[in-house]
Amino acid sequence: DEIKFPKTYACYICGKEYGSKSISIHEKQCAERFQKQQERRPSQERKKLPKRPFFEKATSLEERNAWARASFENHVMVACPGCKRTFEGESKLEKHTKGCDYVKELNQSSSGIRIRHNNILNLSGIDENNHKAPRTYVCYLCGKEYGSESISIHEKQCAELFKKQQE
């Protein structure tokens, strides 16, 4: 009497689920669509196509799907510097940061950490010489700017250092 649902496989690029027969077809189409979308973005905002995890090493469908979702989360989604919630795209993140209580708290922090919305995303994207500046993200603890690849590494290290200083 138990209802059996068909097994689904998560796409490592978009995070959506597909059947066993269509996942390989979808991944090829999704990779092409992802690359076309990135080509339309300014060069400093483009992301590389995530590398396909070696799913053959997965011991179960659940593990395989967890790897696919992790790839999607870590390489496609963008995290809010305040609450760490993730969004698919800079425009959705920008909209979110305007109302995020954690970002507002960081903006008004009495600890001296002051972050403006345009610094969080470097939305202006222009330096003082009117050149396009690379996209940077601000550490919520120390206020320093880091690139998209290194911000998560830095924040973990900075949080550990902050924790040690508090002890």
Side-chain angles (χ1 to χ4, degrees), residues 51-124:
K51 289 184 180 168
R52 187 178 189 276
F54 195 62
F55 292 130
E56 292 75 15
K57 294 242 181 199
T59 58
S60 67
L61 178 60
E62 289 78 19
E63 183 177 39
R64 183 235 179 260
N65 284 344
W67 291 354
R69 287 187 194 95
S71 175
F72 171 65
E73 282 282 326
N74 295 327
H75 300 288
V76 178
M77 301 288 276
V78 185
C80 171
C83 67
K84 304 296 180 220
R85 206 173 131 199
T86 56
F87 298 89
E88 190 172 357
E90 301 287 342
S91 62
K92 290 180 182 178
L93 175 63
E94 179 183 350
K95 192 181 289 186
H96 163 78
T97 58
K98 290 178 182 174
C100 178
D101 291 336
Y102 292 100
V103 172
K104 287 177 185 175
E105 194 174 298
L106 288 173
N107 288 339
Q108 299 165 354
S109 173
S110 60
S111 66
I113 300 172
R114 301 237 178 251
I115 302 172
R116 297 189 332 264
H117 286 292
N118 64 345
N119 277 349
I120 290 170
L121 296 172
N122 192 12
L123 294 177
S124 67

Side-chain angles (χ1 to χ4, degrees), residues 44-45 122 124-128 130-136:
Q44 72 273 15
E45 292 181 18
N122 192 12
S124 67
I126 298 172
D127 65 16
E128 60 275 355
N130 225 10
H131 294 98
K132 291 257 179 189
R135 185 159 301 259
T136 59

Side-chain angles (χ1 to χ4, degrees), residues 3 51 161 166:
I3 298 173
K51 289 184 180 168
L161 181 64
Q166 297 301 314

